[in-house]
Amino acid sequence: MDPVPALDEPLKKVLGPATAKVMAEHLGLHTVGDLLHHYPRRYEERGQLTHLADLPMDEHVTVVAQVADARLHTFASSRAPRGKGQRLEVTITDGSGRLQLVFFGAGVHKPHKELLPGTRAMFAGKVSVFNRRLQLAHPAYELLRGDAEETVETWAGALIPIYPATAKLESWKIGKALQTVLPSAQEAADPLPGPLREGRGLVTLPEALLKIHRPHTKADIEEARARLKWDEAFVLQVALARRRHADAQLPAVPRRPRPDGILAAFDGRLPFTLTEGQRKVSEEIFADLATDHPMHRLLQGEVGSGKTMVALRAMLAVVDAGGQAAMLAPTEVLAQQHHRSVIEMMGDLAQGGMLGGADDATKVVLLTGSMGAAARRQALLDLATGEAGIVIGTHALIEDKVQFHDLGLVVVDEQHRFGVEQRDALRGKGKQPPHLLVMTATPIPRTVAMTVFGDLETSVLDQLPAGRSPIASHVVPAADKPHFLARAWERVREEVEKGHQAYVVCPRIGDEEDGAKAKKKSPEDEAEKRPPLAVLDTAEQLARGPLAGLRVDVLHGRMPPDDKDAVMRRFAAGEVDVLVATTVIEVGVNVPNATAMVIMDADRFGVSQLHQLRGRVGRGSAPGLCLLVTEMPEASPARQRLNAVASTLDGFELSRIDLEQRREGDVLGQAQSGTRSSLRMLAVIDDEEVIAEAREEAARIVAGDPDLERLPALRTALDALLDEEREQYLEKG
């Protein structure tokens, strides 16, 4: 009998170099253990047909279905001018829906012979749209023959596992590779402590791996999933618990505000009262700042909930205690805007060392990459001497040249746009680790906060300050109802006539450099036969057409920083009626007089992004209006997504929808972008209970044994999860 390959055995030794190369490059699988943890996405039952409705656009799918009919067409083309081109169209059905397969040229002969009406097979390919119908072009397929023996041999019983696959490696080929390595599952070391596993009635890890890949019943699948979910949640929560434990051991300088200092002076001048939420969150932050280990806090707040005010009060508390505070913004536009609004809010308290400055005043400096040399030199000097208590800047703050006198607090705005290395570099500029406050306007469901930000304490601002207006949102189906789009432009004119302003947002800039990128069209673009709308073209068409006579200007990320700032200043001053922009306006831009927003090709944006963009209007006393323009058909998932955005202003509800649609992304990786996840079985939204329980168990175990000396198998699983890059990610998180 052949020896069973070890879990760390490279796949090329077991499966051969060609298959191993595809698995490594396209699925990130390198060892026998990696492949064993590549779980089926779902299972097909041989007696049943799959659902063809709801296939995701532009994704690689595997379906089990029956051929309804097959027709061979001939046509003339540039390659076959005499009408000798051949196209085979095969319709497959699952009893509830139909899907078209299409094969061209020499590729028609084999399927024409094999895919006869009544034949059942598995088909794999990328879903695209042609003539408004879903289709798979040139799918790979595997016939499901009637001879029971071969089928049972290959597919292990009645349940066919369907694996996450790629165009280069179909699900059934992955299934065959797994048959080869499955005996190695017996070697898997169990990371769950015995009492925990038995107390929760979970099967062993080797048993779970066998049942997930070769289930005989649906109960097998449920048992395996329950166990594997626990593994993922628990190992991840142990990693985060150890991070929190290590952070609690770090020293930090406690920062307590003086009763008669700059914070008290600032509070005494506020022309409004803080909301209950702002007061509560501020108290949590002040309590953290007063401890002798670094604060690590995540501040979530809906767009416009007053996060900047809370952050500014925290910064003033640190200045009171003799320290400095740095606020890191993701873009120059936002850094400049924050700098302006902080100086406006502070008045003469921001004029430290200047004539007319208040007694308790400090200096508030701006530091960005595009500043002139003299201004930059002065800002650096103010930081090094401690003259400036507050600095607001972009990643220019992280450069080696920047020295602080005594950095006490780092505030990171819109955390998801910052690399962890950048946060870490800024934190390294304190004599001791500074306190850290991370802010995001992207609402994060509780479970995600427990995983992605599991090493941060969380505060939530969910009240809007008084004086904020509701925003009405509507989907504008431009293809089905062109007159709706015409009405949208009339609404923009009406807002301008009332003395207000409007944004028009487009997915693309539209200059030459952009054009080069646009040539690489995604299959969805190909299907719709049109690239996304561009700022420069749209602005020109609007100024000549439906918005003629209004003052229209443009803003995008490739403009020189001074030009961007000048446009924003003109818009803020009311000298521009309509600003046609990319998502550069997505965060932080605050023009209370802007009441309307039209988002072109809204289906090209994510749910959270649309919610963020919409938050730029309705910031004053007049009600806001957001129009989501799309050409996608009514039944499409894209339209359902837009309807969801239009139906609620609750960012937490939308973030759940967004996450369900994107899947979690690599929760530990830096991207968090919906790509292959380190969470293969755990669904962050659905498994809230498992995650919460795993967090409690992990905290208990780490408190008693921080180095996991008594749990070597758990330590091994942790090392596998936290390869070097992820270990650093958590170190710096």
Side-chain angles (χ1 to χ4, degrees):
M1 211 176 110
D2 291 338
V4 171
L7 294 184
D8 56 3
E9 184 90 14
L11 285 173
K12 61 177 173 232
K13 288 193 180 171
V14 185
L15 303 175
T19 306
K21 185 169 187 252
V22 176
M23 285 193 169
E25 287 177 4
H26 295 275
L27 296 170
L29 308 175
H30 303 278
T31 64
V32 168
D34 291 345
L35 181 53
L36 284 172
H37 287 290
H38 187 69
Y39 308 133
R41 180 172 281 171
R42 57 190 169 81
Y43 300 83
E44 291 294 355
E45 292 178 68
R46 182 146 298 101
Q48 289 187 341
L49 293 173
T50 180
H51 271 281
L52 295 180
D54 306 328
L55 284 179
M57 264 299 297
D58 203 20
E59 259 190 42
H60 203 84
V61 299
T62 302
V63 296
V64 176
Q66 188 163 323
V67 177
D69 74 72
R71 296 171 189 211
L72 191 63
H73 303 274
T74 55
F75 60 91
S77 72
S78 55
R79 289 185 186 173
R82 295 190 187 153
K84 294 282 174 64
Q86 290 191 310
R87 181 176 76 246
L88 175 66
E89 288 177 4
V90 177
T91 305
I92 58 174
T93 179
D94 64 353
S96 71
R98 291 176 163 241
L99 178 66
Q100 189 163 32
L101 316 177
V102 59
F103 302 87
F104 292 101
V108 305
H109 305 307
K110 185 168 175 274
H112 191 216
K113 283 203 299 252
E114 292 182 336
L115 298 179
L116 304 171
T119 307
R120 298 192 57 245
M122 289 207 284
F123 302 92
K126 208 164 210 182
V127 183
S128 58
V129 171
F130 183 70
N131 280 346
R132 297 209 158 203
R133 287 168 64 196
L134 293 181
Q135 70 166 25
L136 298 181
H138 282 287
Y141 62 87
E142 174 101 334
L143 301 178
L144 294 175
R145 296 189 175 82
D147 52 328
E149 211 167 70
E150 186 219 9
T151 319
V152 171
E153 276 292 318
T154 314
W155 304 115
L159 292 162
I160 303 172
I162 305 293
Y163 289 93
T166 76
K168 295 268 165 56
L169 199 66
E170 294 86 15
S171 169
W172 50 88
K173 290 183 182 162
I174 296 170
K176 285 173 182 169
L178 265 150
Q179 297 298 348
T180 310
V181 302
L182 207 49
S184 303
Q186 296 301 344
E187 307 294 310
D190 203 321
L192 288 193
L196 191 158
R197 183 174 61 72
E198 286 149 23
R200 295 190 173 274
L202 298 167
V203 299
T204 64
L205 181 56
E207 192 180 339
L209 290 171
L210 286 170
K211 285 183 168 175
I212 202 78
H213 293 298
R214 294 189 71 162
H216 293 296
T217 63
K218 288 184 176 169
D220 284 353
I221 298 170
E222 286 315 305
E223 280 189 355
R225 279 188 169 152
R227 164 61 215 248
L228 295 167
K229 279 180 180 181
W230 248 94
D231 275 20
E232 287 182 4
F234 180 68
V235 174
L236 175 56
Q237 290 301 336
V238 166
L240 294 165
R242 292 185 72 211
R243 181 75 257 128
R244 289 194 301 277
H245 182 270
D247 282 342
Q249 315 306 312
L250 288 173
V253 180
R255 310 280 180 173
R256 294 184 184 86
R258 299 198 319 272
D260 57 348
I262 189 169
L263 175 62
F266 176 76
D267 283 352
R269 302 162 173 220
L270 279 180
F272 52 83
T273 53
L274 297 173
T275 65
E276 187 54 43
Q278 283 174 317
R279 272 204 299 277
K280 182 174 138 293
V281 170
S282 289
E283 289 310 316
E284 291 170 352
I285 291 171
F286 292 153
D288 283 358
L289 289 173
T291 62
D292 56 8
H293 57 85
M295 165 171 81
H296 287 104
R297 189 166 284 279
L298 171 70
L299 172 56
Q300 299 185 56
E302 276 285 16
V303 174
S305 58
K307 291 184 302 299
T308 311
M309 173 59 71
V310 169
L312 176 55
R313 293 184 74 236
M315 293 196 286
L316 293 175
V318 170
V319 172
D320 257 352
Q324 292 170 293
M327 184 184 229
L328 203 53
T331 64
E332 294 214 347
V333 166
L334 195 48
Q336 286 161 340
Q337 174 120 8
H338 274 320
H339 183 245
R340 271 202 299 276
S341 63
V342 163
I343 283 179
E344 274 167 27
M345 285 195 271
M346 286 176 65
D348 60 1
L349 290 171
Q351 294 171 5
M354 295 182 232
L355 278 173
D359 293 345
D360 293 307
T362 187
K363 236 184 192 183
V364 179
V365 300
L366 176 70
L367 191 62
T368 63
S370 64
M371 281 168 75
R376 188 179 170 77
R377 253 198 318 275
Q378 185 59 52
L380 290 171
L381 185 65
D382 289 342
L383 288 179
T385 59
E387 187 89 0
I390 294 176
V391 58
I392 296 166
T394 55
H395 51 81
L397 277 177
I398 297 160
E399 289 174 12
D400 291 342
K401 293 191 198 94
V402 181
Q403 299 294 325
F404 288 86
H405 178 64
D406 179 12
L407 181 61
L409 170 67
V410 174
V411 179
V412 180
D413 191 22
E414 285 310 319
Q415 112 73 5
H416 62 286
R417 292 162 173 251
F418 268 108
V420 172
E421 289 78 9
Q422 294 168 310
R423 290 213 306 258
D424 188 53
L426 190 49
R427 267 170 37 182
K429 290 188 176 291
K431 293 186 177 72
Q432 284 192 325
H435 299 281
L436 175 70
L437 179 65
V438 167
M439 301 199 296
T440 177
T442 308
I444 302 166
R446 176 171 165 258
T447 44
V448 183
M450 284 194 291
T451 45
V452 181
F453 301 109
D455 57 339
L456 299 172
E457 299 299 325
T458 303
S459 296
V460 178
L461 274 177
D462 47 13
Q463 282 173 290
L464 286 188
R468 277 301 169 86
S469 304
I471 304 167
S473 305
H474 304 284
V475 178
V476 177
D480 310 349
K481 298 177 177 167
H483 60 287
F484 276 37
L485 183 57
R487 175 71 189 122
W489 302 125
E490 283 172 20
R491 282 292 289 112
V492 169
R493 276 189 171 282
E494 287 164 15
E495 287 300 310
V496 173
E497 277 160 19
K498 288 183 203 161
H500 298 306
Q501 293 158 279
Y503 297 101
V504 177
V505 181
C506 302
R508 193 164 77 81
I509 297 172
D511 54 18
E512 298 323 298
E513 200 179 325
D514 213 48
K517 283 186 200 159
K519 282 180 187 138
K520 284 191 172 171
K521 291 180 185 168
S522 74
E524 192 166 344
D525 292 347
E526 282 294 349
E528 297 305 312
K529 291 289 178 275
R530 153 171 104 54
L533 290 170
V535 165
L536 302 178
D537 307 340
T538 304
E540 195 180 327
Q541 287 161 9
L542 290 175
R544 285 207 313 260
L547 302 184
L550 301 187
R551 297 167 298 175
V552 177
D553 211 336
V554 300
L555 181 71
H556 59 74
R558 279 208 292 277
M559 289 164 64
D562 289 351
D563 294 2
K564 277 192 281 202
D565 198 38
V567 170
M568 272 318 298
R569 279 174 189 273
R570 284 202 303 277
F571 189 63
E575 294 160 19
V576 171
D577 298 320
V578 179
L579 186 61
V580 184
T582 56
T583 54
V584 72
I585 62 158
E586 181 186 349
V587 284
V589 171
N590 183 21
V591 179
N593 192 45
T595 52
M597 176 177 285
V598 181
I599 303 179
M600 307 303 291
D601 282 340
D603 48 274
R604 315 262 178 160
F605 299 98
V607 169
S608 293
Q609 201 171 27
L610 291 168
H611 183 56
Q612 284 275 19
L613 286 165
R614 168 171 68 184
R616 301 302 111 212
V617 295
R619 299 178 78 84
S621 52
L625 173 69
C626 178
L627 301 174
L628 306 166
V629 179
T630 179
E631 292 187 358
M632 293 305 273
E634 191 162 358
S636 64
R639 273 286 281 280
Q640 289 163 13
R641 208 169 65 225
L642 296 180
N643 291 339
V645 174
S647 69
T648 179
L649 290 172
D650 181 343
F652 285 92
E653 179 54 33
L654 288 174
S655 70
R656 286 183 80 92
I657 294 166
D658 192 24
L659 202 71
E660 280 162 5
Q661 291 184 337
R662 286 188 307 133
R663 302 187 46 245
E664 283 80 18
D666 191 334
V667 167
L668 279 184
Q670 294 179 25
Q672 293 161 25
S673 62
T675 51
R676 185 172 161 270
S677 173
S678 63
L679 299 184
R680 296 177 178 88
M681 189 58 75
L682 197 68
V684 169
I685 286 288
D686 302 335
D687 298 318
E688 181 162 347
E689 211 171 293
V690 175
I691 292 168
E693 288 175 16
R695 184 179 168 98
E696 277 174 37
E697 292 277 11
R700 191 176 54 74
I701 280 169
V702 169
D705 182 6
D707 294 327
L708 309 178
E709 286 166 359
R710 298 192 289 278
L711 297 166
L714 175 55
R715 178 81 234 199
T716 307
L718 205 59
D719 292 341
L721 173 76
L722 303 178
D723 53 34
E724 205 173 327
E725 179 195 352
R726 291 206 181 110
E727 181 75 81
Q728 287 177 347
Y729 179 79
L730 283 183
E731 287 287 340
K732 295 168 180 174

